[in-house]
Amino acid sequence: MAAAQPLALVVLLLLWPGGWGHSEAPRDSLREELVITPLPSGDVAATFQFRTRWDSQLQREEVSHYRLFPKALGQLISKYSLRELHLSLTQGFWRTRYWGPPFLQAPSGAELWVWFQDTVADVDKSWKDLSNVLSGIFCASLNFIDSTNTVMPTASFKPLGLANGTDHYFLRYAVLPREVVCTENLTPWKKLLPCSSKAGLSMLLKAERLFHTSYHSQAVHIRPVCRNARCTSISWELRQTLSVVFDAFVTGQGKKDWSLFRMFSRTLTEPCPLASESRVYVDITSYNQDNETLEVSPTPLTTYQDVILGTQKTYAVYDLLDKAVINSSRNLNLQFKWKRPPDNGYIHYQPAQDRLQPHLLEMLIQLPPNSVTKVSIQFERALLKWTEYTPDPNHGFYVSPSVISALVPSLVAAKAVDWEESPLFNSLFPVSDSSSYFVRLYTEPLLVSLPTPDFSMPYNVICLTCTVVAVCYGSFYNLLTRTFHIEEPKKGGLARRLANLLRRVRGVPPL
């Protein structure tokens, strides 16, 4: 018993505050939010932001333990003496004319711009090495960044974080517009999140739904920020953003109604346990709640108003950390429903399905006289199956003509006619109103050039393969099936008799 007392005393000392068991306050924090914005075009934009803030000076402190901040990115800051890093991978183009201004726009493809510390001796070498490392982290073709596509802007791309100087010699910028964004880039991006895709808002990041959109952009932003109001010390901020635009007509089967499940095929069940803030914002600015044409469910408990991008905005706020937001079934599915059809019920749109049915768009409009009306439709060119190409694919593919059916005002009032007595050309369309007559017009077929493969290559391969097979197979078949015979010389003949006569005279046996 005497030997057991010192051992218990040591254990108590270890667990007492100030010993090994003492836990310090975490120096890092996580905030996550989702902003859902119904666009003027009828589409729906969803913007995710995950902000990880670490109260640490990575370039001065020897950090060996990482909690929320990704270790791979933290080591990049220390090794390459980074001041700021901004990387975006985008598929599609943000159409500001139809969708309005985005929170943060990015070009199509891959964009990378970095500010280095003024202590870096060889910026070009660090830039090349950094792009190669980022290429491996995000499974992108950033290793193709070199001096041929790298510039040093002097007017644009100022530091977004805390900066002591703006010597543009330490700035590098490059764009790869042909970079294709796919699930191979999304997977490592999600692994940088503290909760990955297991809990919180990241549960909605389903690759099958995110890439079936009109616009997809994922980005990583690293910058130093002030830790307090007096900026006596700095912290490192990592922002992972992801923006997508859903086609409400396609995902909603021809309706403008939308919900979390309809867009992401999932709902929210719980916040990320490591997050200090987890919220969903829904833009309800452009909808007048007094006319009772739109129903938002569940009803938000709070709202947020502020000036965003020069416009007064109102957002419905859903705090996932509030137990009252997520109901007893642990399921939150935000929904927007129209109580009655909106003002564009004269419009009928049926989206196409690949190799099943074409697009159908019908609009009932009233045109003023002496006016010009232009209807434009955006489309993307894609490769077809090799069996779907016509014998002359380089000629292009035809799109069916549009149909215009109109009631044209008549200059002279028409009278009711007897269908049996009137000429046939006058009784094709019935006249219900004497002030107008019916006309159906057709536009010209549209000839579209689609990308075509090199059909001469398979032709050459087939010809060469057939030739080699024919020669080799014919030779082996000839050798395996040919029969060889030894022919005996025929007996008799004048020459043979003369030879035997001479041999007999000489005393030699005859042939």
Side-chain angles (χ1 to χ4, degrees):
M1 295 297 295
Q5 293 180 356
L7 179 60
L9 180 62
V10 173
V11 174
L12 291 176
L13 290 176
L14 294 180
L15 297 179
W16 194 260
W20 291 357
H22 176 62
S23 59
E24 298 180 356
R27 302 172 59 186
D28 49 5
S29 61
L30 170 65
R31 293 176 56 186
E32 59 177 8
E33 70 177 30
L34 167 62
V35 181
I36 301 178
T37 307
L39 302 177
S41 61
D43 301 325
V44 181
T47 303
F48 294 84
Q49 285 205 48
F50 303 89
R51 194 201 74 168
T52 304
R53 180 174 173 175
W54 195 5
D55 298 338
S56 173
Q57 298 184 6
L58 297 177
Q59 297 170 345
R60 297 181 181 180
E61 303 177 6
E62 295 183 359
V63 180
S64 59
H65 176 68
Y66 289 81
R67 180 174 173 264
L68 300 181
F69 203 93
K71 184 177 182 180
L73 299 183
Q75 292 177 342
L76 288 182
I77 298 175
S78 303
K79 181 176 181 180
Y80 296 102
S81 300
L82 301 182
R83 182 192 298 177
E84 287 191 15
L85 184 146
H86 305 274
L87 170 64
S88 64
L89 300 172
T90 306
Q91 175 180 322
F93 179 75
W94 183 275
R95 307 191 179 277
T96 308
R97 180 179 179 183
Y98 305 99
W99 299 340
F103 292 107
L104 183 62
Q105 191 171 4
S108 300
E111 180 193 43
L112 175 64
W113 57 287
V114 177
W115 277 92
F116 293 92
Q117 296 286 347
D118 53 7
T119 57
V120 178
D122 192 347
V123 179
D124 293 330
K125 183 178 184 302
S126 299
W127 167 254
K128 182 61 178 178
D129 296 341
L130 176 63
S131 59
N132 290 332
V133 174
L134 293 175
S135 176
I137 293 178
F138 294 98
C139 296
S141 303
L142 301 177
N143 56 307
F144 288 99
I145 294 179
D146 53 17
S147 60
T148 61
N149 48 30
T150 301
V151 294
M152 292 183 293
T154 58
S156 302
F157 303 99
K158 299 294 183 180
L160 299 182
L162 182 64
N164 297 327
T166 57
D167 188 356
H168 291 82
Y169 172 75
F170 299 96
L171 170 64
R172 293 297 184 271
Y173 176 84
V175 176
L176 299 177
R178 295 189 60 182
E179 181 71 14
V180 179
V181 186
C182 59
T183 56
E184 294 180 355
N185 311 118
L186 180 63
T187 301
W189 185 90
K190 292 193 298 184
K191 289 183 178 180
L192 298 177
L193 298 174
C195 288
S196 185
S197 58
K198 307 299 182 182
L201 299 179
S202 58
M203 294 180 59
L204 303 178
L205 302 179
K206 188 177 181 181
E208 179 183 354
R209 304 298 300 172
L210 295 180
F211 288 98
H212 191 65
T213 55
S214 303
Y215 176 83
H216 174 98
S217 179
Q218 60 187 62
V220 172
H221 305 279
I222 302 176
R223 62 178 181 178
V225 295
C226 293
R227 190 177 303 180
N228 47 41
R230 302 179 59 184
C231 203
T232 55
S233 56
I234 65 173
S235 301
W236 284 98
E237 180 188 78
L238 166 63
R239 290 205 180 198
Q240 295 179 244
T241 63
L242 189 145
S243 301
V244 290
V245 176
F246 292 92
D247 190 338
F249 286 98
V250 175
T251 58
Q253 300 177 357
K255 301 179 181 179
K256 281 191 175 182
D257 301 344
W258 59 265
S259 65
L260 289 182
F261 184 80
R262 183 173 294 176
M263 291 189 297
F264 301 102
S265 296
R266 292 177 180 175
T267 58
L268 294 174
T269 58
E270 60 179 347
C272 175
L274 300 176
S276 59
E277 182 178 306
S278 180
R279 296 179 180 178
V280 179
Y281 296 86
V282 180
D283 188 358
I284 57 176
T285 305
S286 57
Y287 299 101
N288 186 8
Q289 301 296 330
D290 297 334
N291 56 16
E292 296 184 355
T293 59
L294 188 69
E295 179 182 0
V296 184
S297 63
T299 304
L301 300 180
T302 58
T303 58
Y304 173 77
Q305 293 184 355
D306 202 348
V307 179
I308 308 297
L309 299 175
T311 306
Q312 183 71 27
K313 294 288 187 179
T314 303
Y315 295 91
V317 183
Y318 299 88
D319 190 356
L320 299 184
L321 297 180
D322 188 358
K323 296 182 179 179
V325 173
I326 299 181
N327 53 27
S328 58
S329 61
R330 299 180 60 85
N331 181 16
L332 176 62
N333 184 24
L334 299 179
Q335 297 181 4
F336 259 35
K337 294 182 179 181
W338 292 92
K339 292 185 178 180
R340 61 174 182 264
D343 198 19
N344 60 351
Y346 55 86
I347 296 179
H348 174 232
Y349 174 67
Q350 177 180 335
Q353 298 181 11
D354 290 343
R355 300 173 180 87
L356 292 180
Q357 66 180 19
H359 285 279
L360 174 61
L361 174 62
E362 292 181 314
M363 297 185 296
L364 181 61
I365 56 179
Q366 185 175 0
L367 303 179
N370 300 324
S371 63
V372 177
T373 302
K374 181 180 179 181
V375 179
S376 60
I377 299 177
Q378 301 173 4
F379 66 93
E380 296 181 358
R381 293 178 171 88
L383 286 171
L384 304 178
K385 295 181 179 180
W386 69 275
T387 55
E388 296 176 347
Y389 285 93
T390 58
D392 53 346
N394 293 319
H395 178 72
F397 293 82
Y398 286 96
V399 179
S400 303
S402 301
V403 182
I404 302 176
S405 301
L407 288 176
V408 182
S410 178
L411 298 178
V412 180
K415 60 180 181 179
V417 297
D418 188 359
W419 283 21
E420 296 297 334
E421 299 297 334
S422 62
L424 297 179
F425 61 82
N426 193 28
S427 60
L428 181 60
F429 297 108
V431 178
S432 59
D433 189 359
S434 60
S435 63
S436 61
Y437 60 95
F438 181 79
V439 174
R440 180 178 290 136
L441 304 176
Y442 295 87
T443 62
E444 290 186 279
L446 181 62
L447 184 61
V448 181
S449 298
L450 295 181
T452 56
D454 185 7
F455 290 102
S456 63
M457 181 58 68
Y459 173 79
N460 297 334
V461 172
I462 292 174
C463 293
L464 179 61
T465 304
C466 293
T467 303
V468 172
V469 171
V471 173
C472 296
Y473 178 77
S475 301
F476 281 105
Y477 183 79
N478 190 18
L479 293 175
L480 294 175
T481 58
R482 176 180 295 181
T483 303
F484 297 91
H485 300 279
I486 301 177
E487 293 186 357
E488 296 291 339
K490 297 181 179 179
K491 298 181 179 180
L494 180 60
R496 185 172 184 175
R497 285 197 296 269
L498 292 175
N500 289 334
L501 179 60
L502 294 176
R503 293 171 70 90
R504 189 180 296 110
V505 173
R506 295 169 55 188
V508 180
L511 296 174

